[in-house]
Coordinates of all heavy atoms in Angstrom, one line a residue:
M1017 N 16.8 3.4 8.2 CA 16.0 2.3 7.7 C 14.7 2.2 8.3 O 14.5 2.4 9.5 CB 16.9 1.0 8.0 CG 16.3 -0.3 7.3 SD 16.2 -0.2 5.5 CE 17.9 -0.6 5.1
I1018 N 13.7 2.0 7.5 CA 12.3 1.9 8.0 C 11.9 0.5 8.4 O 12.5 -0.5 7.9 CB 11.3 2.5 7.0 CG1 11.2 1.7 5.7 CG2 11.6 4.0 6.7 CD1 10.0 2.0 4.8
N1019 N 10.9 0.3 9.2 CA 10.4 -1.0 9.6 C 9.1 -1.2 9.0 O 8.5 -0.4 8.2 CB 10.4 -1.2 11.1 CG 9.5 -0.2 11.8 OD1 8.5 0.3 11.2 ND2 9.8 0.2 13.0
C1020 N 8.5 -2.4 9.3 CA 7.2 -2.8 8.7 C 6.1 -1.8 9.0 O 5.2 -1.5 8.2 CB 6.8 -4.2 9.1 SG 8.0 -5.5 8.4
A1021 N 6.1 -1.3 10.3 CA 5.0 -0.4 10.7 C 5.1 0.9 9.9 O 4.1 1.4 9.5 CB 5.2 -0.1 12.2
D1022 N 6.3 1.4 9.6 CA 6.5 2.6 8.8 C 6.0 2.3 7.4 O 5.4 3.2 6.8 CB 8.0 2.9 8.8 CG 8.5 3.3 10.1 OD1 7.8 3.9 10.9 OD2 9.7 3.1 10.4
F1023 N 6.3 1.1 6.9 CA 5.9 0.8 5.5 C 4.4 0.8 5.4 O 3.8 1.4 4.5 CB 6.4 -0.6 5.1 CG 6.2 -0.9 3.7 CD1 7.0 -0.6 2.7 CD2 5.0 -1.6 3.4 CE1 6.7 -0.8 1.4 CE2 4.7 -1.9 2.0 CZ 5.6 -1.5 1.0
M1024 N 3.7 0.2 6.4 CA 2.2 0.1 6.4 C 1.6 1.5 6.5 O 0.6 1.8 5.9 CB 1.7 -0.7 7.6 CG 2.2 -2.1 7.7 SD 1.7 -3.1 6.2 CE 2.7 -4.6 6.5
A1025 N 2.3 2.4 7.3 CA 1.8 3.8 7.4 C 1.9 4.5 6.1 O 1.1 5.5 5.9 CB 2.6 4.5 8.5
E1026 N 2.9 4.2 5.3 CA 3.1 5.0 4.1 C 2.6 4.3 2.8 O 2.6 5.0 1.7 CB 4.6 5.2 3.9 CG 5.2 6.2 4.9 CD 4.7 7.6 4.7 OE1 4.2 8.0 3.6 OE2 4.7 8.4 5.7
I1027 N 2.1 3.1 2.9 CA 1.8 2.4 1.6 C 0.6 3.0 0.9 O 0.6 3.0 -0.4 CB 1.5 0.9 1.9 CG1 1.4 0.1 0.6 CG2 0.2 0.7 2.7 CD1 1.4 -1.4 0.8
G1028 N -0.3 3.7 1.6 CA -1.4 4.4 0.9 C -0.9 5.5 0.0 O -1.2 5.6 -1.1
N1029 N 0.1 6.3 0.6 CA 0.7 7.4 -0.1 C 1.5 6.8 -1.3 O 1.6 7.4 -2.4 CB 1.6 8.2 0.8 CG 0.8 9.0 1.8 OD1 -0.4 9.4 1.5 ND2 1.4 9.4 2.9
Y1030 N 2.2 5.7 -1.0 CA 3.0 5.1 -2.1 C 2.2 4.7 -3.3 O 2.5 5.0 -4.4 CB 3.8 3.9 -1.5 CG 4.8 3.3 -2.4 CD1 5.9 4.0 -2.8 CD2 4.6 2.0 -2.8 CE1 6.8 3.4 -3.7 CE2 5.5 1.4 -3.7 CZ 6.6 2.1 -4.1 OH 7.5 1.5 -4.9
L1031 N 1.1 4.0 -3.0 CA 0.2 3.6 -4.0 C -0.5 4.7 -4.8 O -0.8 4.7 -6.0 CB -0.9 2.7 -3.5 CG -0.4 1.3 -3.1 CD1 -1.5 0.6 -2.2 CD2 -0.1 0.4 -4.3
D1032 N -0.8 5.8 -4.0 CA -1.4 7.0 -4.6 C -0.3 7.8 -5.4 O -0.7 8.8 -6.0 CB -2.0 7.9 -3.5 CG -3.2 7.3 -2.9 OD1 -3.7 6.3 -3.5 OD2 -3.6 7.7 -1.8
G1033 N 1.0 7.5 -5.3 CA 2.0 8.3 -5.8 C 2.2 9.6 -5.1 O 2.8 10.6 -5.6
A1034 N 1.8 9.6 -3.8 CA 1.8 10.9 -3.0 C 3.0 10.9 -2.1 O 3.3 11.9 -1.5 CB 0.5 11.0 -2.2
A1035 N 3.8 9.8 -2.0 CA 4.9 9.8 -1.1 C 6.1 10.6 -1.7 O 6.3 10.5 -2.9 CB 5.3 8.3 -0.9
A1036 N 6.8 11.2 -0.9 CA 8.0 12.0 -1.3 C 9.0 11.1 -1.9 O 9.1 9.9 -1.5 CB 8.5 12.8 -0.2
A1037 N 9.9 11.6 -2.8 CA 10.9 10.8 -3.4 C 11.8 10.0 -2.4 O 12.1 8.8 -2.6 CB 11.8 11.6 -4.4
D1038 N 12.2 10.7 -1.4 CA 13.1 10.0 -0.4 C 12.3 8.9 0.4 O 12.9 7.8 0.7 CB 13.8 11.0 0.5 CG 12.8 11.8 1.4 OD1 11.7 12.1 0.8 OD2 13.1 12.1 2.5
V1039 N 11.0 9.1 0.6 CA 10.2 8.1 1.3 C 10.0 6.9 0.4 O 10.2 5.8 0.8 CB 8.8 8.7 1.7 CG1 7.9 7.7 2.2 CG2 9.0 9.9 2.7
R1040 N 9.7 7.2 -0.9 CA 9.6 6.1 -1.9 C 10.8 5.2 -1.9 O 10.8 4.0 -2.0 CB 9.3 6.7 -3.3 CG 8.0 7.4 -3.5 CD 7.9 7.9 -4.9 NE 7.6 6.8 -5.8 CZ 6.4 6.3 -6.1 NH1 5.4 6.8 -5.5 NH2 6.3 5.3 -6.9
R1041 N 12.0 5.9 -1.9 CA 13.3 5.1 -2.0 C 13.4 4.2 -0.7 O 13.8 3.1 -0.9 CB 14.4 6.1 -2.0 CG 15.3 5.9 -3.2 CD 16.6 6.7 -3.3 NE 16.6 8.0 -2.5 CZ 16.3 9.1 -3.0 NH1 16.0 9.3 -4.3 NH2 16.4 10.2 -2.3
Q1042 N 13.0 4.8 0.4 CA 13.1 3.9 1.6 C 12.1 2.8 1.6 O 12.4 1.7 2.0 CB 12.8 4.8 2.9 CG 14.0 5.8 3.1 CD 13.7 6.6 4.4 OE1 13.7 6.0 5.5 NE2 13.5 7.9 4.3
L1043 N 10.9 3.1 1.1 CA 9.9 2.0 1.0 C 10.3 0.9 0.0 O 10.2 -0.3 0.3 CB 8.5 2.6 0.5 CG 7.9 3.6 1.4 CD1 6.6 4.2 0.8 CD2 7.5 3.0 2.7
E1044 N 10.9 1.3 -1.1 CA 11.4 0.3 -2.1 C 12.6 -0.5 -1.5 O 12.7 -1.7 -1.8 CB 11.8 1.1 -3.4 CG 10.6 1.4 -4.2 CD 10.8 2.5 -5.2 OE1 11.9 2.9 -5.4 OE2 9.8 3.0 -5.8
A1045 N 13.4 0.2 -0.7 CA 14.5 -0.5 -0.1 C 14.0 -1.6 0.9 O 14.5 -2.7 1.0 CB 15.5 0.5 0.6
H1046 N 13.0 -1.2 1.6 CA 12.4 -2.1 2.6 C 11.7 -3.3 1.9 O 11.9 -4.4 2.2 CB 11.4 -1.4 3.5 CG 10.7 -2.3 4.5 ND1 11.4 -2.6 5.7 CD2 9.6 -2.9 4.5 CE1 10.6 -3.4 6.4 NE2 9.5 -3.6 5.7
L1047 N 10.9 -2.9 0.8 CA 10.2 -3.9 0.0 C 11.2 -5.0 -0.5 O 10.9 -6.2 -0.6 CB 9.6 -3.3 -1.2 CG 8.1 -3.0 -1.2 CD1 7.6 -2.6 -2.5 CD2 7.3 -4.3 -0.7
A1048 N 12.4 -4.5 -0.9 CA 13.4 -5.4 -1.6 C 13.8 -6.6 -0.7 O 14.2 -7.6 -1.2 CB 14.6 -4.6 -2.0
H1049 N 13.7 -6.4 0.7 CA 14.2 -7.5 1.5 C 13.1 -8.0 2.5 O 13.4 -8.9 3.3 CB 15.4 -7.0 2.3 CG 15.1 -6.0 3.4 ND1 14.6 -6.3 4.6 CD2 15.3 -4.6 3.4 CE1 14.5 -5.2 5.3 NE2 14.9 -4.1 4.6
C1050 N 11.9 -7.4 2.4 CA 10.8 -7.8 3.4 C 9.7 -8.5 2.7 O 8.9 -7.9 2.0 CB 10.3 -6.7 4.2 SG 9.0 -7.2 5.3
Q1051 N 9.6 -9.9 2.8 CA 8.6 -10.6 2.1 C 7.2 -10.3 2.6 O 6.2 -10.3 1.8 CB 8.9 -12.1 2.3 CG 8.2 -13.0 1.2 CD 8.6 -14.4 1.2 OE1 9.2 -14.9 2.2 NE2 8.4 -15.1 0.2
T1052 N 7.0 -10.0 3.9 CA 5.7 -9.7 4.4 C 5.2 -8.4 3.7 O 4.0 -8.4 3.3 CB 5.8 -9.4 6.0 OG1 6.4 -10.5 6.6 CG2 4.5 -9.0 6.6
C1053 N 6.0 -7.4 3.6 CA 5.5 -6.2 3.0 C 5.4 -6.3 1.5 O 4.5 -5.7 0.9 CB 6.5 -5.0 3.3 SG 6.4 -4.5 5.0
Q1054 N 6.1 -7.2 0.9 CA 5.9 -7.5 -0.6 C 4.5 -8.1 -0.8 O 3.8 -7.7 -1.7 CB 7.0 -8.6 -1.1 CG 8.3 -8.0 -1.3 CD 9.4 -9.0 -1.5 OE1 9.1 -10.1 -2.0 NE2 10.6 -8.7 -1.3
V1055 N 4.1 -9.0 0.1 CA 2.7 -9.6 0.0 C 1.7 -8.5 0.2 O 0.7 -8.4 -0.6 CB 2.6 -10.7 1.0 CG1 1.1 -11.2 1.1 CG2 3.5 -11.9 0.6
V1056 N 1.9 -7.7 1.2 CA 0.9 -6.6 1.5 C 0.8 -5.6 0.4 O -0.3 -5.3 -0.1 CB 1.3 -5.9 2.8 CG1 0.4 -4.7 3.0 CG2 1.2 -6.8 4.0
Y1057 N 2.0 -5.2 -0.1 CA 2.0 -4.3 -1.2 C 1.4 -4.8 -2.5 O 0.6 -4.2 -3.1 CB 3.5 -3.9 -1.5 CG 3.7 -3.1 -2.8 CD1 3.2 -1.8 -2.8 CD2 4.3 -3.6 -3.9 CE1 3.3 -1.0 -4.0 CE2 4.4 -2.8 -5.1 CZ 3.9 -1.6 -5.1 OH 4.0 -0.8 -6.2
D1058 N 1.7 -6.1 -2.8 CA 1.1 -6.7 -4.0 C -0.4 -6.8 -3.9 O -1.1 -6.5 -4.8 CB 1.7 -8.1 -4.1 CG 1.8 -8.6 -5.5 OD1 2.3 -7.7 -6.3 OD2 1.5 -9.7 -5.8
S1059 N -0.9 -7.2 -2.7 CA -2.4 -7.3 -2.5 C -3.0 -6.0 -2.6 O -4.1 -5.8 -3.3 CB -2.7 -7.9 -1.1 OG -2.0 -9.1 -0.9
A1060 N -2.5 -5.0 -2.0 CA -3.0 -3.6 -2.0 C -3.0 -3.1 -3.4 O -4.0 -2.5 -3.9 CB -2.3 -2.7 -1.1
R1061 N -1.9 -3.3 -4.2 CA -1.8 -2.8 -5.5 C -2.9 -3.4 -6.4 O -3.5 -2.8 -7.2 CB -0.4 -3.0 -6.0 CG 0.0 -2.2 -7.2 CD 1.3 -2.6 -7.7 NE 1.4 -4.1 -7.8 CZ 2.5 -4.8 -8.2 NH1 3.5 -4.2 -8.6 NH2 2.5 -6.1 -8.2
K1062 N -3.0 -4.8 -6.3 CA -4.0 -5.5 -7.1 C -5.4 -5.0 -6.8 O -6.2 -4.9 -7.7 CB -3.9 -7.0 -6.9 CG -2.7 -7.6 -7.6 CD -2.6 -9.1 -7.3 CE -1.3 -9.7 -8.0 NZ -0.8 -10.8 -7.2
T1063 N -5.7 -4.8 -5.5 CA -7.0 -4.4 -5.1 C -7.3 -3.0 -5.7 O -8.4 -2.8 -6.2 CB -7.2 -4.4 -3.6 OG1 -6.7 -5.7 -3.1 CG2 -8.6 -4.2 -3.2
V1064 N -6.4 -2.1 -5.6 CA -6.5 -0.8 -6.1 C -6.8 -0.9 -7.6 O -7.7 -0.2 -8.2 CB -5.3 0.1 -5.8 CG1 -5.4 1.4 -6.6 CG2 -5.2 0.4 -4.4
R1065 N -6.1 -1.7 -8.3 CA -6.2 -1.9 -9.8 C -7.6 -2.4 -10.1 O -8.2 -1.9 -11.0 CB -5.1 -2.8 -10.3 CG -5.1 -2.7 -11.9 CD -4.1 -3.7 -12.4 NE -2.7 -3.5 -11.9 CZ -1.9 -4.5 -11.6 NH1 -2.3 -5.8 -11.7 NH2 -0.7 -4.3 -11.1
V1066 N -8.1 -3.4 -9.4 CA -9.4 -4.0 -9.7 C -10.4 -2.9 -9.5 O -11.4 -2.7 -10.3 CB -9.7 -5.2 -8.7 CG1 -11.1 -5.6 -8.7 CG2 -8.8 -6.3 -9.1
L1067 N -10.3 -2.1 -8.4 CA -11.3 -1.1 -8.1 C -11.3 0.0 -9.2 O -12.3 0.5 -9.6 CB -11.0 -0.5 -6.7 CG -11.3 -1.4 -5.5 CD1 -10.8 -0.8 -4.2 CD2 -12.8 -1.6 -5.4
T1068 N -10.1 0.4 -9.5 CA -10.0 1.5 -10.5 C -10.4 1.0 -11.9 O -11.0 1.8 -12.6 CB -8.5 2.1 -10.6 OG1 -7.6 1.0 -10.8 CG2 -8.2 2.8 -9.3
N1069 N -10.2 -0.2 -12.2 CA -10.6 -0.7 -13.5 C -12.1 -1.0 -13.6 O -12.7 -1.0 -14.7 CB -9.9 -2.1 -13.9 CG -8.4 -1.8 -14.3 OD1 -8.0 -0.7 -14.5 ND2 -7.6 -2.9 -14.4
S1070 N -12.7 -1.1 -12.5 CA -14.2 -1.3 -12.5 C -14.9 -0.1 -12.9 O -16.1 -0.2 -13.3 CB -14.6 -1.7 -11.1 OG -14.7 -0.6 -10.2
G1071 N -14.3 1.1 -12.9 CA -14.9 2.3 -13.3 C -16.0 2.8 -12.4 O -16.7 3.7 -12.7
S1072 N -16.0 2.2 -11.2 CA -17.1 2.5 -10.3 C -16.8 3.8 -9.5 O -17.6 4.3 -8.8 CB -17.5 1.4 -9.4 OG -16.4 1.0 -8.6
F1073 N -15.5 4.2 -9.5 CA -15.2 5.4 -8.8 C -14.1 6.2 -9.6 O -13.3 5.6 -10.3 CB -14.9 5.2 -7.4 CG -13.5 4.5 -7.1 CD1 -12.4 5.3 -7.1 CD2 -13.4 3.2 -7.0 CE1 -11.1 4.7 -6.9 CE2 -12.2 2.6 -6.8 CZ -11.1 3.3 -6.8
D1074 N -14.0 7.4 -9.3 CA -13.0 8.3 -9.8 C -11.8 8.3 -8.9 O -11.9 8.7 -7.7 CB -13.6 9.7 -10.0 CG -12.6 10.7 -10.5 OD1 -11.5 10.3 -11.0 OD2 -12.8 11.9 -10.3
L1075 N -10.6 7.9 -9.4 CA -9.4 7.9 -8.5 C -8.8 9.3 -8.4 O -7.7 9.5 -8.7 CB -8.4 6.8 -9.0 CG -7.3 6.5 -8.0 CD1 -7.8 5.7 -6.8 CD2 -6.2 5.7 -8.7
S1076 N -9.6 10.2 -7.9 CA -9.1 11.5 -7.5 C -8.4 11.4 -6.2 O -8.6 10.4 -5.5 CB -10.2 12.5 -7.5 OG -11.1 12.2 -6.4
E1077 N -7.7 12.4 -5.8 CA -7.0 12.4 -4.5 C -8.0 12.2 -3.4 O -7.8 11.4 -2.4 CB -6.3 13.7 -4.3 CG -5.1 13.5 -3.3 CD -4.3 14.8 -3.3 OE1 -4.0 15.4 -4.3 OE2 -3.9 15.2 -2.2
A1078 N -9.2 12.8 -3.5 CA -10.2 12.8 -2.4 C -10.8 11.4 -2.4 O -11.1 10.9 -1.3 CB -11.3 13.8 -2.7
A1079 N -11.0 10.8 -3.5 CA -11.7 9.5 -3.6 C -10.8 8.3 -3.2 O -11.2 7.3 -2.6 CB -12.3 9.2 -5.0
S1080 N -9.5 8.4 -3.5 CA -8.6 7.3 -3.4 C -8.2 7.1 -1.9 O -7.9 6.0 -1.5 CB -7.3 7.5 -4.2 OG -6.6 8.6 -3.8
K1081 N -8.1 8.1 -1.1 CA -7.6 8.0 0.2 C -8.5 7.1 1.1 O -7.9 6.1 1.7 CB -7.4 9.4 0.9 CG -6.6 9.3 2.2 CD -6.1 10.6 2.6 CE -5.4 10.6 3.9 NZ -4.3 9.6 4.1
P1082 N -9.8 7.3 1.1 CA -10.6 6.3 1.9 C -10.5 4.9 1.4 O -10.5 4.0 2.2 CB -12.0 6.9 1.8 CG -11.9 8.2 1.2 CD -10.6 8.3 0.6
I1083 N -10.4 4.7 0.1 CA -10.3 3.4 -0.4 C -9.0 2.7 0.0 O -9.0 1.5 0.4 CB -10.5 3.4 -2.0 CG1 -11.9 3.8 -2.3 CG2 -10.1 2.1 -2.6 CD1 -12.2 4.3 -3.7
T1084 N -7.9 3.4 -0.2 CA -6.6 2.7 0.3 C -6.6 2.5 1.8 O -6.1 1.5 2.2 CB -5.4 3.6 -0.1 OG1 -5.6 4.9 0.3 CG2 -5.1 3.6 -1.6
E1085 N -7.3 3.3 2.5 CA -7.4 3.1 4.0 C -8.2 1.9 4.2 O -7.9 1.0 5.1 CB -8.0 4.3 4.7 CG -6.9 5.4 4.9 CD -7.5 6.7 5.4 OE1 -8.8 6.8 5.6 OE2 -6.8 7.7 5.5
N1086 N -9.3 1.7 3.5 CA -10.2 0.5 3.6 C -9.4 -0.7 3.2 O -9.5 -1.8 3.9 CB -11.4 0.6 2.7 CG -12.4 1.6 3.3 OD1 -12.4 1.9 4.4 ND2 -13.3 2.0 2.4
I1087 N -8.6 -0.7 2.2 CA -7.8 -1.8 1.7 C -6.8 -2.2 2.8 O -6.7 -3.4 3.1 CB -7.1 -1.5 0.4 CG1 -8.1 -1.4 -0.7 CG2 -6.1 -2.6 0.1 CD1 -7.6 -0.7 -2.0
M1088 N -6.2 -1.2 3.4 CA -5.2 -1.5 4.4 C -5.8 -2.1 5.6 O -5.3 -3.0 6.3 CB -4.4 -0.2 4.8 CG -3.5 0.3 3.7 SD -2.5 -1.0 2.9 CE -1.6 -1.6 4.2
A1089 N -7.0 -1.6 6.0 CA -7.7 -2.1 7.1 C -8.1 -3.6 6.9 O -7.9 -4.5 7.8 CB -9.0 -1.3 7.4
M1090 N -8.5 -3.9 5.6 CA -8.8 -5.2 5.2 C -7.6 -6.2 5.3 O -7.6 -7.3 5.8 CB -9.3 -5.2 3.8 CG -10.0 -6.5 3.3 SD -10.6 -6.2 1.6 CE -9.0 -6.1 0.7
I1091 N -6.5 -5.7 4.8 CA -5.2 -6.5 4.8 C -4.8 -6.7 6.2 O -4.4 -7.8 6.6 CB -4.1 -5.8 4.0 CG1 -4.5 -5.8 2.5 CG2 -2.8 -6.4 4.2 CD1 -3.7 -4.9 1.6
R1092 N -4.8 -5.7 7.1 CA -4.4 -5.9 8.5 C -5.3 -6.9 9.2 O -4.9 -7.7 9.9 CB -4.5 -4.5 9.2 CG -3.4 -3.6 8.8 CD -3.4 -2.4 9.8 NE -2.5 -1.3 9.3 CZ -3.0 -0.2 8.7 NH1 -4.3 0.0 8.7 NH2 -2.2 0.7 8.3
G1093 N -6.6 -6.9 8.8 CA -7.6 -7.8 9.4 C -7.2 -9.2 9.0 O -7.3 -10.2 9.8
Q1094 N -6.8 -9.4 7.7 CA -6.5 -10.7 7.2 C -5.2 -11.3 7.9 O -5.1 -12.4 8.3 CB -6.2 -10.7 5.7 CG -7.5 -10.6 4.9 CD -7.1 -10.4 3.4 OE1 -6.0 -10.1 3.0 NE2 -8.2 -10.4 2.6
Q1095 N -4.3 -10.4 8.1 CA -3.0 -10.8 8.8 C -3.3 -11.2 10.2 O -2.6 -12.1 10.7 CB -2.0 -9.6 8.8 CG -1.4 -9.4 7.4 CD -0.4 -8.3 7.4 OE1 -0.5 -7.4 8.1 NE2 0.6 -8.5 6.5
R1096 N -4.2 -10.5 10.9 CA -4.5 -10.8 12.3 C -5.1 -12.2 12.4 O -4.8 -12.9 13.4 CB -5.4 -9.8 12.9 CG -4.7 -8.8 13.8 CD -5.7 -8.1 14.8 NE -6.8 -7.5 14.1 CZ -6.8 -6.3 13.5 NH1 -5.7 -5.5 13.6 NH2 -7.8 -5.8 12.9
S1097 N -5.9 -12.6 11.4 CA -6.7 -13.8 11.5 C -5.8 -15.0 11.1 O -6.2 -16.1 11.4 CB -7.9 -13.7 10.6 OG -7.6 -13.7 9.3
E1098 N -4.7 -14.8 10.6 CA -3.8 -15.9 10.1 C -3.0 -16.5 11.3 O -2.7 -15.8 12.2 CB -2.9 -15.5 9.0 CG -3.5 -15.5 7.7 CD -2.6 -14.9 6.6 OE1 -1.4 -14.6 6.9 OE2 -3.1 -14.6 5.5
Ligands
LIG31 ZN1 8.2 -5.1 6.1

């Protein structure tokens, strides 16, 4: 069973569709019972969608990684300030 730190470490890969099938299963199992990670996942997913829909960048593997990292840094910052 994974914990929240493991989830945060893998969420970028999960959003990019780059996580391995067994990792995805573990992330989904964690999401199902962890409200904190549900909020983080939802925020990150919405932010990625807004960015990709803006057409301002190409969501290639090379382009998406720094963006998901930036999103995660932003989310972590928000959590710290609460
Ligand atoms: Zn969690």
